[in-house]
Amino acid sequence: MRGRELVCTAWNRASLATRFGLAGGVVLLVFSLLAGGLIVQQIQRVVVRNTATAAAFYMESFLHPLVEGYIGDEAPSPAIRRALQEVLPATSMGDRILSYKIWRPGGLVIEASDADLIGKTFPPSDELRQAWAGQVAATFEDDAEEEDEAEHALGLPLLEIYSPIRADWTGEIIAVAEVYVADPALKADLVAARNKALLWVGGAGLALGLLLYAIVYGGSRTIEAQRRDLDRQLANLHRLSSHNGALRRRVQEAAARAAITAEQGLRRIGADLHDGPAQYLAYASLRVDALGRAIGPAAPELDELRDALAQAMSEIRSISRGLVLPDIADMSARQIVELAVAAHQARHGQAVDLTVDLHGTVTMTPALQVCLFRFTQEGLNNAARHAPGAELGVVLSRSGSNLRLVVQDRGPGPAPDSVPGLGLSGLRDRVEALGGHFGLERKNGRTELWMEVET
C-alpha cells in the first residue's frame, strides 16, 4: 500500500512530458511487438507458401508419372519404391529431401522412405486435409506428430510440404505427396526477415515516439511556465486578498467604533435637550401661566404662547427620546427588533406585524445591535410618515449565515424621482460599514426597505 502511494505521488509530481514518455513508451513498445510479430508471421507465411508452392510444382513434375503409373486401387506396385529411390537422389532437391510419404484417402500411407510406416493409417492433419482439398500446404518447424517424429528428431529446420497429385485426364486427386526438406537457408532468410521487420517497426515506433515526445515536451514546458506564472499571480492575489481583508476588517471596526461614538454623541444630545431646553421651556410655560393669573382673563396671545410652548416641549421630548438609545447590550437580534417595534407602537399607536424566522445562533456585535435597532426605528418612522395608516410589517430572517431585516408597508412608496433623505443615507452607511447590503424597492404591492449582513 505504501509503495502504491509512493508511485502515485511520484506520478502526480512528474511533468506532463515525463508521464507521456512513460505511458507512450509502454504503448509504443507493446504496439511495436504486436505489429512486428504480425508482420513476421505474415512474412513467414508468405515465404513458406511461395517456397512450398515452387517445391510442390517441382516435385509433381517427377512424382506424378511415378505415382500415377504404379498406384493401384489400394496400394502401389513394389516397383514404385525402387523408382523413387532411384529418381529422388538424381533431382536438384535430392540432397535436401530427408524423407517422403505418399498418402491415400483416409490417412493411409501407401509409400514412405521409412518402410515401417507403409500400410499404416494416421489421423489426417490440417495440412493433409488442405492437400486433399486441392491446395498446396506447408509448415516450417512445426510441432512433431506421430508419423513424423523421426524427421523432427534430427533437429534440422524442416519444411514440410503437402502436394496433391492429380490424374491426367480426370484431374481427380489420386494421392498426396508429403516431403520433408531440410532448408537451413530458409530458416536464415526467415530470421533475417524477422530481425529486419522488428528493426523497421521498432525504429519507426521509436521515431514516432521521439517526435510525439518532442511535441509534448515543448507543450509541457509552455504549460509549466504558464503554471508557474499562474502560481505567482495566485500567490500575489492571495496576498492582496489577505491585505484587502485586513483593510476591510479595519474599516468595519473603525465604522463600528464610529457608530458607537455617534450613538454616544446622540445620547448626550438627547440628554442635553431633555435637561436644558426642555426645562427652560417648562419654566417659561409656568411663568406664562403665572402671568395669566396675574393679569386676569387670559388674552388670546397668552393662549397661543402657551400652546406653542407646550408643542415645542413635546417635540423636544420626542426628539430626546428618539436620540437616546435603550440598553440593548445583552439583547439578541429578536429582542432588539421586538423592542424597536414595541417603542414605535407605543409612540404612534399603530400596529406592526412582526415575523421572526431565525435558525441557529446569531453572533451579535455592538455595531450590529445598534444597526438593527436604528434600521427598524428609522424604517417604521419613514413608513408612518410617508404612508400614514398603511399596514406595516417587519420581517427578521436568516438564511445560512446571512441575517436579513425587512421593514415593509402597503403605502404607495416613494416617488420615482424622489431623492433618499438623510435618514436612509445614514442607514445605508451603517449597513455597508458592517459589510452588508441595503436596498429600497417596490415588490408585490409593498414598499420594502431591507438590509442583509453576514454573521
Side-chain angles (χ1 to χ4, degrees), residues 271-350:
D272 292 342
L273 286 175
H274 183 272
D275 298 336
Q279 299 301 324
Y280 288 123
L281 288 175
Y283 176 74
S285 180
L286 292 175
R287 298 304 298 169
V288 168
D289 290 339
L291 180 61
R293 288 192 298 270
I295 64 175
E301 291 81 3
L302 288 179
D303 293 335
E304 292 176 0
L305 181 58
R306 186 182 297 108
D307 292 339
L309 289 173
Q311 185 176 358
M313 191 162 49
S314 176
E315 289 289 338
I316 290 178
R317 287 174 178 171
S318 177
I319 294 174
S320 177
R321 285 193 302 269
L323 292 177
V324 176
L325 187 70
D327 186 11
I328 58 175
D330 298 326
M331 290 186 178
S332 64
R334 174 194 289 269
Q335 292 171 336
I336 292 172
V337 174
E338 289 176 347
L339 179 62
V341 170
H344 179 83
Q345 292 180 143
R347 186 178 306 163
H348 296 276
Q350 186 178 14

Coordinates of all heavy atoms in Angstrom, one line a residue, residues 271-350:
A271 N -29.8 63.8 26.1 CA -29.9 64.2 27.5 C -29.8 65.7 27.7 O -30.5 66.3 28.5 CB -28.7 63.5 28.2
D272 N -29.0 66.4 26.8 CA -28.8 67.8 26.9 C -30.1 68.5 26.6 O -30.6 69.5 27.2 CB -27.7 68.3 26.0 CG -26.3 67.9 26.6 OD1 -26.2 67.5 27.7 OD2 -25.4 67.9 25.8
L273 N -30.8 68.0 25.5 CA -32.1 68.6 25.2 C -33.1 68.4 26.3 O -33.9 69.3 26.6 CB -32.6 67.9 23.9 CG -31.9 68.3 22.6 CD1 -32.5 67.4 21.4 CD2 -32.1 69.8 22.3
H274 N -33.1 67.2 26.9 CA -34.1 67.0 28.0 C -33.8 67.8 29.2 O -34.7 68.3 29.9 CB -34.1 65.5 28.3 CG -35.1 65.1 29.3 ND1 -34.8 65.2 30.7 CD2 -36.4 64.7 29.2 CE1 -35.9 64.8 31.4 NE2 -36.9 64.5 30.5
D275 N -32.5 67.9 29.5 CA -32.1 68.6 30.8 C -32.0 70.2 30.5 O -32.0 70.9 31.5 CB -30.8 68.1 31.3 CG -31.0 66.6 31.7 OD1 -32.1 66.2 32.0 OD2 -29.9 65.9 31.7
G276 N -31.8 70.6 29.3 CA -31.6 72.0 29.0 C -32.8 72.7 28.5 O -33.7 73.2 29.2
P277 N -33.0 72.8 27.1 CA -34.1 73.5 26.5 C -35.4 73.0 27.0 O -36.4 73.8 27.2 CB -33.9 73.1 25.0 CG -32.5 72.9 24.9 CD -32.0 72.2 26.1
A278 N -35.6 71.7 27.2 CA -36.9 71.3 27.7 C -37.3 71.9 29.1 O -38.4 72.2 29.4 CB -36.9 69.7 27.8
Q279 N -36.3 72.0 30.0 CA -36.5 72.5 31.3 C -36.8 74.0 31.2 O -37.7 74.6 31.9 CB -35.3 72.3 32.2 CG -35.0 70.8 32.4 CD -36.1 70.1 33.1 OE1 -36.9 70.6 33.9 NE2 -36.3 68.8 32.6
Y280 N -36.1 74.7 30.3 CA -36.4 76.2 30.2 C -37.7 76.4 29.6 O -38.4 77.3 30.0 CB -35.3 76.8 29.2 CG -34.0 76.9 29.9 CD1 -32.8 76.4 29.3 CD2 -33.8 77.7 31.1 CE1 -31.6 76.5 29.9 CE2 -32.6 77.8 31.7 CZ -31.5 77.2 31.1 OH -30.3 77.3 31.7
L281 N -38.1 75.5 28.6 CA -39.5 75.7 28.1 C -40.5 75.4 29.2 O -41.6 76.1 29.2 CB -39.7 74.7 26.9 CG -38.9 75.1 25.6 CD1 -39.1 74.0 24.6 CD2 -39.4 76.4 25.1
A282 N -40.3 74.4 30.0 CA -41.3 74.1 31.1 C -41.3 75.3 32.1 O -42.4 75.7 32.5 CB -40.8 72.9 31.9
Y283 N -40.2 75.9 32.3 CA -40.2 77.1 33.2 C -40.9 78.3 32.6 O -41.7 79.0 33.2 CB -38.7 77.5 33.5 CG -38.6 78.8 34.3 CD1 -38.9 78.8 35.7 CD2 -38.2 80.0 33.8 CE1 -38.9 79.9 36.5 CE2 -38.1 81.1 34.5 CZ -38.4 81.1 35.9 OH -38.4 82.3 36.6
A284 N -40.7 78.4 31.2 CA -41.4 79.5 30.5 C -42.9 79.3 30.5 O -43.7 80.2 30.7 CB -40.9 79.6 29.1
S285 N -43.3 78.0 30.4 CA -44.7 77.7 30.4 C -45.3 78.0 31.8 O -46.5 78.6 31.9 CB -45.0 76.2 30.1 OG -46.3 75.9 30.1
L286 N -44.6 77.7 32.9 CA -45.1 78.1 34.2 C -45.2 79.6 34.4 O -46.2 80.1 35.0 CB -44.1 77.5 35.3 CG -44.1 75.9 35.4 CD1 -43.1 75.5 36.4 CD2 -45.5 75.4 35.8
R287 N -44.2 80.3 33.9 CA -44.3 81.8 34.0 C -45.4 82.4 33.2 O -46.1 83.3 33.7 CB -42.9 82.4 33.6 CG -41.7 82.0 34.4 CD -41.9 82.3 35.9 NE -42.1 83.7 36.1 CZ -42.5 84.3 37.2 NH1 -42.8 83.5 38.2 NH2 -42.5 85.6 37.3
V288 N -45.7 81.8 32.1 CA -46.9 82.3 31.3 C -48.2 82.0 32.1 O -49.1 82.9 32.1 CB -46.9 81.6 29.9 CG1 -48.2 81.8 29.2 CG2 -45.7 82.1 29.1
D289 N -48.3 80.8 32.7 CA -49.5 80.6 33.5 C -49.6 81.6 34.6 O -50.7 82.1 35.0 CB -49.4 79.1 34.0 CG -49.6 78.1 32.9 OD1 -50.1 78.5 31.9 OD2 -49.1 76.9 33.1
A290 N -48.4 81.9 35.3 CA -48.5 82.8 36.4 C -48.8 84.2 35.9 O -49.6 85.0 36.6 CB -47.1 82.8 37.1
L291 N -48.3 84.6 34.8 CA -48.6 85.9 34.2 C -50.1 86.0 33.9 O -50.8 87.0 34.1 CB -47.8 86.1 32.9 CG -48.0 87.5 32.2 CD1 -47.7 88.6 33.2 CD2 -47.2 87.5 30.9
G292 N -50.7 84.9 33.3 CA -52.1 84.9 33.0 C -53.0 85.1 34.3 O -54.0 85.8 34.2
R293 N -52.6 84.4 35.4 CA -53.4 84.6 36.6 C -53.2 86.0 37.1 O -54.2 86.5 37.8 CB -52.9 83.6 37.6 CG -53.3 82.1 37.3 CD -53.1 81.2 38.5 NE -51.7 81.1 38.9 CZ -50.8 80.3 38.4 NH1 -51.2 79.4 37.4 NH2 -49.6 80.3 38.8
A294 N -52.1 86.6 36.9 CA -51.8 88.0 37.5 C -52.6 89.0 36.7 O -53.1 90.0 37.3 CB -50.4 88.3 37.4
I295 N -52.8 88.9 35.4 CA -53.4 90.0 34.6 C -54.9 89.7 34.5 O -55.6 90.5 33.8 CB -52.8 90.1 33.2 CG1 -53.0 88.8 32.4 CG2 -51.3 90.5 33.4 CD1 -52.4 89.0 31.0
G296 N -55.4 88.6 35.0 CA -56.8 88.4 34.9 C -57.2 87.4 33.8 O -56.4 86.5 33.5
P297 N -58.3 87.7 33.1 CA -58.8 86.9 32.0 C -57.6 86.7 31.0 O -56.9 87.6 30.6 CB -60.0 87.6 31.4 CG -60.4 88.5 32.5 CD -59.2 88.9 33.3
A298 N -57.5 85.5 30.5 CA -56.4 85.2 29.6 C -56.7 85.9 28.2 O -57.8 85.8 27.7 CB -56.3 83.7 29.4
A299 N -55.6 86.4 27.8 CA -55.7 87.0 26.5 C -55.4 86.0 25.4 O -54.7 85.0 25.7 CB -54.6 88.1 26.4
P300 N -55.9 86.2 24.2 CA -55.7 85.2 23.1 C -54.2 85.0 22.9 O -53.7 83.9 22.6 CB -56.4 85.8 21.9 CG -57.4 86.7 22.5 CD -56.9 87.2 23.7
E301 N -53.4 86.0 23.0 CA -51.9 85.9 22.7 C -51.3 85.0 23.7 O -50.4 84.2 23.4 CB -51.3 87.3 22.8 CG -51.6 88.2 21.6 CD -53.0 88.9 21.9 OE1 -53.6 88.6 22.9 OE2 -53.4 89.6 20.9
L302 N -51.7 85.1 25.0 CA -51.2 84.2 26.0 C -51.5 82.7 25.8 O -50.7 81.8 26.0 CB -51.7 84.6 27.4 CG -51.1 85.9 28.0 CD1 -51.7 86.2 29.3 CD2 -49.6 85.8 28.1
D303 N -52.8 82.5 25.3 CA -53.2 81.1 25.0 C -52.3 80.6 23.8 O -51.9 79.4 23.8 CB -54.6 81.1 24.6 CG -55.5 81.4 25.8 OD1 -55.1 81.2 27.0 OD2 -56.7 81.8 25.6
E304 N -52.1 81.4 22.8 CA -51.3 80.9 21.7 C -49.8 80.6 22.1 O -49.2 79.7 21.7 CB -51.3 82.0 20.6 CG -52.6 82.1 19.9 CD -52.6 83.3 18.9 OE1 -51.6 83.9 18.7 OE2 -53.7 83.5 18.2
L305 N -49.3 81.5 23.0 CA -48.0 81.3 23.5 C -47.9 80.1 24.3 O -46.9 79.3 24.2 CB -47.5 82.5 24.4 CG -46.1 82.5 24.9 CD1 -45.1 82.3 23.9 CD2 -45.9 83.8 25.8
R306 N -48.9 79.8 25.1 CA -48.9 78.6 26.0 C -49.0 77.4 25.1 O -48.3 76.4 25.4 CB -50.1 78.7 26.9 CG -50.1 77.5 27.9 CD -51.4 77.6 28.8 NE -51.4 78.8 29.6 CZ -52.3 79.8 29.4 NH1 -53.1 79.7 28.4 NH2 -52.3 80.9 30.2
D307 N -49.8 77.4 24.0 CA -49.9 76.2 23.1 C -48.5 76.0 22.4 O -48.1 74.8 22.2 CB -51.0 76.4 22.1 CG -52.4 76.4 22.7 OD1 -52.5 75.9 23.9 OD2 -53.3 76.9 22.1
A308 N -47.9 77.1 22.0 CA -46.6 76.9 21.3 C -45.5 76.3 22.2 O -44.7 75.5 21.8 CB -46.2 78.3 20.7
L309 N -45.5 76.8 23.4 CA -44.5 76.3 24.4 C -44.8 74.8 24.6 O -43.9 74.0 24.7 CB -44.6 77.1 25.7 CG -44.0 78.5 25.6 CD1 -44.3 79.3 26.9 CD2 -42.6 78.5 25.3
A310 N -46.1 74.4 24.8 CA -46.4 73.0 25.0 C -46.0 72.1 23.8 O -45.4 71.0 24.0 CB -47.9 72.9 25.3
Q311 N -46.3 72.7 22.6 CA -45.9 71.9 21.4 C -44.4 71.8 21.3 O -43.9 70.7 21.0 CB -46.5 72.5 20.2 CG -46.3 71.7 18.9 CD -47.0 72.4 17.7 OE1 -47.7 73.4 17.9 NE2 -46.8 71.8 16.6
A312 N -43.7 72.9 21.5 CA -42.2 72.8 21.5 C -41.7 71.9 22.5 O -40.7 71.1 22.2 CB -41.7 74.2 21.6
M313 N -42.2 71.9 23.7 CA -41.7 71.0 24.7 C -42.0 69.5 24.4 O -41.1 68.6 24.6 CB -42.3 71.4 26.0 CG -41.7 70.7 27.2 SD -42.1 71.5 28.8 CE -43.9 71.6 28.7
S314 N -43.1 69.3 23.8 CA -43.5 67.9 23.3 C -42.5 67.4 22.2 O -42.0 66.3 22.3 CB -44.9 67.8 22.9 OG -45.2 66.6 22.4
E315 N -42.2 68.3 21.3 CA -41.3 68.0 20.2 C -39.9 67.7 20.7 O -39.3 66.7 20.3 CB -41.3 69.1 19.2 CG -42.5 69.3 18.3 CD -42.7 68.1 17.3 OE1 -41.7 67.5 17.0 OE2 -43.8 67.9 16.9
I316 N -39.4 68.5 21.6 CA -38.1 68.3 22.2 C -38.0 67.0 22.9 O -37.1 66.3 22.8 CB -37.7 69.5 23.0 CG1 -37.5 70.8 22.2 CG2 -36.4 69.2 23.9 CD1 -37.1 72.0 22.9
R317 N -39.1 66.7 23.7 CA -39.0 65.5 24.5 C -39.1 64.2 23.5 O -38.5 63.2 23.8 CB -40.2 65.4 25.4 CG -40.0 66.4 26.6 CD -41.3 66.4 27.5 NE -41.1 67.3 28.6 CZ -42.0 67.7 29.5 NH1 -43.3 67.3 29.2 NH2 -41.8 68.4 30.5
S318 N -39.9 64.4 22.4 CA -40.0 63.3 21.5 C -38.6 63.1 20.8 O -38.1 61.9 20.6 CB -41.0 63.6 20.4 OG -41.1 62.6 19.4
I319 N -38.0 64.2 20.4 CA -36.6 64.1 19.8 C -35.6 63.5 20.8 O -34.8 62.7 20.4 CB -36.2 65.5 19.3 CG1 -37.1 66.0 18.1 CG2 -34.7 65.4 18.9 CD1 -36.8 67.4 17.7
S320 N -35.7 63.9 22.0 CA -34.8 63.4 23.0 C -35.0 61.9 23.2 O -34.0 61.2 23.3 CB -35.1 64.2 24.3 OG -34.3 63.6 25.4
R321 N -36.2 61.5 23.2 CA -36.5 60.0 23.4 C -35.9 59.3 22.2 O -35.4 58.2 22.3 CB -37.9 59.7 23.6 CG -38.5 60.1 25.0 CD -39.8 59.5 25.2 NE -40.8 59.9 24.2 CZ -41.6 61.0 24.4 NH1 -41.5 61.7 25.4 NH2 -42.4 61.3 23.4
G322 N -36.1 59.8 21.0 CA -35.6 59.2 19.8 C -34.1 59.1 19.7 O -33.5 58.2 19.1
L323 N -33.4 60.1 20.3 CA -31.9 60.1 20.2 C -31.3 59.2 21.2 O -30.2 58.7 21.0 CB -31.4 61.6 20.4 CG -31.8 62.6 19.3 CD1 -31.3 64.0 19.7 CD2 -31.1 62.1 18.0
V324 N -32.0 59.0 22.3 CA -31.4 58.2 23.4 C -31.6 56.7 23.0 O -32.8 56.3 22.9 CB -32.0 58.5 24.7 CG1 -31.5 57.6 25.8 CG2 -31.7 60.0 25.1
L325 N -30.6 55.9 22.9 CA -30.7 54.5 22.6 C -30.9 53.7 23.9 O -30.2 53.9 24.9 CB -29.4 54.0 21.9 CG -29.3 52.6 21.4 CD1 -30.3 52.5 20.1 CD2 -27.9 52.2 21.0
P326 N -31.9 52.8 23.9 CA -32.1 52.0 25.1 C -30.9 51.0 25.3 O -30.1 50.8 24.4 CB -33.4 51.3 24.8 CG -33.5 51.2 23.3 CD -32.8 52.5 22.8
D327 N -30.9 50.4 26.4 CA -29.8 49.5 26.8 C -30.1 48.1 26.1 O -31.0 47.4 26.4 CB -29.8 49.3 28.3 CG -28.6 48.4 28.7 OD1 -27.7 48.2 27.9 OD2 -28.6 48.0 29.9
I328 N -29.3 47.9 25.0 CA -29.5 46.7 24.2 C -28.3 45.8 24.2 O -28.1 44.9 23.4 CB -29.9 47.1 22.7 CG1 -28.8 47.9 22.1 CG2 -31.2 47.7 22.7 CD1 -29.0 48.3 20.7
A329 N -27.3 46.1 25.1 CA -26.0 45.4 25.1 C -26.2 43.9 25.2 O -25.4 43.1 24.6 CB -25.1 46.0 26.2
D330 N -27.1 43.4 26.0 CA -27.3 42.0 26.3 C -28.4 41.4 25.5 O -28.9 40.3 25.9 CB -27.4 41.7 27.8 CG -26.2 42.2 28.5 OD1 -25.1 42.1 28.0 OD2 -26.3 42.7 29.7
M331 N -29.0 42.1 24.5 CA -30.1 41.6 23.8 C -29.8 40.8 22.6 O -28.7 41.1 21.9 CB -31.1 42.7 23.4 CG -31.7 43.4 24.6 SD -33.0 44.6 24.0 CE -33.6 45.2 25.6
S332 N -30.6 39.9 22.2 CA -30.5 39.1 21.0 C -31.1 39.9 19.8 O -31.7 41.0 20.0 CB -31.1 37.8 21.0 OG -32.5 37.9 21.2
A333 N -30.9 39.4 18.6 CA -31.5 40.1 17.4 C -33.0 40.2 17.5 O -33.6 41.2 17.2 CB -31.0 39.4 16.1
R334 N -33.6 39.1 17.9 CA -35.1 39.1 18.1 C -35.5 40.1 19.1 O -36.5 40.9 18.8 CB -35.5 37.7 18.5 CG -37.0 37.6 18.8 CD -37.4 36.3 19.5 NE -37.3 35.2 18.6 CZ -38.3 34.7 17.9 NH1 -39.5 35.3 18.0 NH2 -38.1 33.6 17.1
Q335 N -34.9 40.2 20.2 CA -35.3 41.1 21.3 C -35.1 42.6 20.9 O -35.9 43.4 21.2 CB -34.4 40.8 22.6 CG -34.8 39.5 23.2 CD -33.8 39.1 24.3 OE1 -32.7 39.6 24.3 NE2 -34.2 38.2 25.2
I336 N -34.0 42.8 20.1 CA -33.7 44.2 19.7 C -34.8 44.7 18.8 O -35.4 45.8 18.9 CB -32.4 44.3 19.0 CG1 -31.3 44.1 20.1 CG2 -32.2 45.7 18.4 CD1 -29.9 44.0 19.5
V337 N -35.2 43.8 17.8 CA -36.2 44.2 16.8 C -37.6 44.3 17.5 O -38.4 45.2 17.2 CB -36.3 43.2 15.7 CG1 -37.4 43.5 14.7 CG2 -35.0 43.2 14.9
E338 N -37.9 43.4 18.4 CA -39.1 43.5 19.2 C -39.2 44.8 20.0 O -40.3 45.4 20.1 CB -39.3 42.3 20.1 CG -39.6 41.0 19.3 CD -39.6 39.8 20.3 OE1 -39.1 39.9 21.4 OE2 -40.0 38.7 19.9
L339 N -38.1 45.2 20.6 CA -38.1 46.4 21.4 C -38.3 47.6 20.5 O -39.1 48.5 20.9 CB -36.7 46.6 22.1 CG -36.5 47.8 22.9 CD1 -37.5 47.9 24.0 CD2 -35.1 47.9 23.4
A340 N -37.7 47.7 19.3 CA -37.9 48.8 18.4 C -39.4 48.9 17.9 O -40.0 49.9 17.8 CB -37.0 48.7 17.2
V341 N -40.0 47.7 17.6 CA -41.4 47.6 17.2 C -42.3 48.1 18.3 O -43.2 48.8 18.1 CB -41.7 46.2 16.7 CG1 -43.2 46.0 16.5 CG2 -40.9 45.9 15.4
A342 N -42.0 47.6 19.5 CA -42.9 48.0 20.7 C -42.8 49.5 20.9 O -43.8 50.1 21.2 CB -42.5 47.2 21.9
A343 N -41.6 50.1 20.8 CA -41.5 51.5 21.0 C -42.2 52.3 20.0 O -42.9 53.3 20.3 CB -40.0 51.9 21.0
H344 N -42.2 51.8 18.7 CA -43.0 52.5 17.7 C -44.5 52.4 17.9 O -45.2 53.4 17.7 CB -42.6 51.9 16.3 CG -43.3 52.5 15.2 ND1 -42.9 53.7 14.6 CD2 -44.5 52.2 14.5 CE1 -43.8 54.0 13.6 NE2 -44.8 53.1 13.6
Q345 N -44.9 51.2 18.3 CA -46.4 51.1 18.5 C -46.8 51.9 19.7 O -47.9 52.5 19.7 CB -46.7 49.6 18.8 CG -46.5 48.7 17.6 CD -46.8 47.2 17.9 OE1 -47.3 46.5 17.0 NE2 -46.4 46.7 19.1
A346 N -46.0 52.0 20.7 CA -46.4 52.9 21.9 C -46.4 54.3 21.5 O -47.2 55.1 22.0 CB -45.4 52.6 23.0
R347 N -45.5 54.8 20.7 CA -45.4 56.2 20.3 C -46.4 56.6 19.3 O -47.0 57.7 19.4 CB -44.0 56.5 19.7 CG -43.7 58.0 19.5 CD -42.3 58.2 19.0 NE -41.4 57.5 19.9 CZ -40.1 57.3 19.6 NH1 -39.7 57.5 18.4 NH2 -39.3 56.7 20.5
H348 N -46.7 55.8 18.3 CA -47.6 56.1 17.2 C -49.0 55.5 17.4 O -49.9 55.8 16.6 CB -47.0 55.8 15.9 CG -45.8 56.6 15.6 ND1 -45.8 57.8 15.0 CD2 -44.5 56.2 15.8 CE1 -44.5 58.2 14.9 NE2 -43.7 57.3 15.3
G349 N -49.1 54.5 18.2 CA -50.4 53.8 18.3 C -50.8 53.0 17.1 O -52.0 52.9 16.8
Q350 N -49.8 52.6 16.3 CA -50.1 51.9 15.1 C -49.6 50.4 15.2 O -48.4 50.2 15.6 CB -49.4 52.6 13.9 CG -49.8 52.0 12.6 CD -49.1 52.9 11.4 OE1 -48.2 53.7 11.7 NE2 -49.6 52.7 10.2

